[in-house]
Amino acid sequence: MAVPIEPEAAGGRDVVGAVLKACALLEKFGADRPVWTLNELTSASGMNKTTVYRLMATLIHAGWVDRTAEGAYRIAMPVFEIGSAALSKLDIRSAARPFMAELADAFGNTAYLMVPAEQGAVCIDLLEGRNSLVVAGINIGSVMPYHAAAGPVVMLAHSKMLRDRWITADLPAITDRTITDVARLVEHLDGIEKAGYSLSNSDYLPGVAAVGAPILGKDGSVVASISVGGRAEEFEGDALAEMIEKVCDAGSRITRIMQALPRG
């Protein structure tokens, strides 16, 4: 009796469902789990066993997957060769751009990429969403103080070196909501470091709120931050919770990319 095959994934006419499913299976492999059996992949993917078997057989034929002596699956060398070639040409801006686009599209607000510098957080890229608000004063090349706005603050929270250099008793108040008291700021930063993200509301620009997450390098040091900013009234309730989730996910995924980059 023929075993039924799952229908193709939903999408436009140009989307090949079988390829998407094969990609989903490849994504299961990682440093923490380099080898999978057929039964394990079937359970983890939610696909039926016949579909998984046929997709993995195709990937083996293509040279992307190998079988172990025990009959399990592992990623083959061409995947690493292609990945290494791509990573060698990648920088933080090109790595972050797709995630910035996702955030700008999802929420309609502006996505920012900032990197640490001695004089402050430098905005090296931004992508505006569909909303009409343009945040005045934050452009590519803008240098911002570390103790205000979500992107700079989340870098300050995750970097002992930046804290030692930046936190002093004479921090300027950019708005009446900027935290300048050292003890209060340190407590605020400790909470951000523990949570893994920062929230800001009118501490840099009145009426503007933002969510930021850190991007870390191989040694755990801060190399950048990704954030989304817009009207403060849009950063509330379920919408805020979703922004936090997606910004944190973007930061984590870019971190994994940056940590995979070859040293050079």
Side-chain angles (χ1 to χ4, degrees):
M1 183 176 65
V3 178
I5 305 299
E6 293 177 335
E8 296 293 338
R13 289 182 300 174
D14 295 333
V15 175
V16 181
V19 176
L20 292 177
K21 290 180 179 180
C23 291
L25 292 176
L26 288 175
E27 288 175 353
K28 299 296 181 186
F29 294 84
D32 59 331
R33 189 71 181 274
V35 177
W36 290 78
T37 67
L38 176 61
N39 287 336
E40 289 169 342
L41 277 175
T42 299
S43 176
S45 68
M47 303 177 199
N48 70 50
K49 194 170 186 178
T50 300
T51 298
V52 174
Y53 176 81
R54 290 180 176 177
L55 289 172
M56 296 307 292
T58 303
L59 290 169
I60 291 170
H61 183 75
W64 291 71
V65 173
D66 285 332
R67 297 296 292 268
T68 68
E70 295 76 22
Y73 302 103
R74 65 185 174 195
I75 298 297
M77 187 55 66
V79 176
F80 296 105
E81 293 172 348
I82 293 170
S84 296
L87 287 171
S88 68
K89 303 297 183 183
L90 197 64
D91 61 17
I92 182 66
R93 187 183 285 103
S94 56
R97 224 350 144 109
F99 301 98
M100 296 173 66
E102 286 182 11
L103 293 172
D105 289 344
F107 303 112
N109 294 306
T110 304
Y112 299 92
L113 180 67
M114 301 181 186
V115 296
E118 185 173 351
Q119 68 273 30
V122 181
C123 178
I124 63 169
D125 202 5
L126 63 83
L127 193 59
E128 295 176 5
R130 62 186 175 276
N131 293 347
S132 59
L133 176 67
V134 176
V135 179
I138 305 179
N139 301 296
I140 295 175
S142 294
V143 181
M144 302 171 63
Y146 282 114
H147 65 294
V153 168
V154 80
M155 289 193 285
L156 184 63
H158 285 81
S159 173
K160 183 179 184 302
M161 180 181 68
L162 289 178
R163 290 198 195 200
D164 291 343
R165 289 181 180 178
W166 192 264
I167 300 176
T168 65
D170 59 349
L171 290 172
I174 294 91
T175 73
D176 59 5
R177 300 190 66 169
T178 307
I179 300 176
T180 58
D181 177 77
V182 170
R184 186 179 165 209
L185 179 59
V186 169
E187 182 180 5
H188 180 58
L189 295 173
D190 289 344
I192 290 170
E193 184 180 19
K194 183 177 180 179
Y197 64 88
S198 62
L199 301 176
S200 66
N201 189 334
S202 302
D203 64 344
Y204 184 72
L205 292 170
V208 175
V211 178
I215 299 169
L216 307 177
K218 286 180 181 289
D219 58 358
S221 62
V222 174
V223 297
S225 69
I226 186 168
S227 58
V228 172
R231 292 183 180 84
E233 60 267 23
E234 297 174 356
F235 287 68
E236 298 175 352
D238 292 342
L240 176 58
E242 186 180 1
M243 284 186 204
I244 292 171
E245 179 182 358
K246 289 189 180 297
V247 170
C248 288
D249 180 64
S252 296
R253 290 162 71 186
I254 302 169
T255 290
R256 289 197 294 271
I257 293 171
M258 299 310 297
Q259 292 180 347
L261 290 175
R263 297 182 183 276

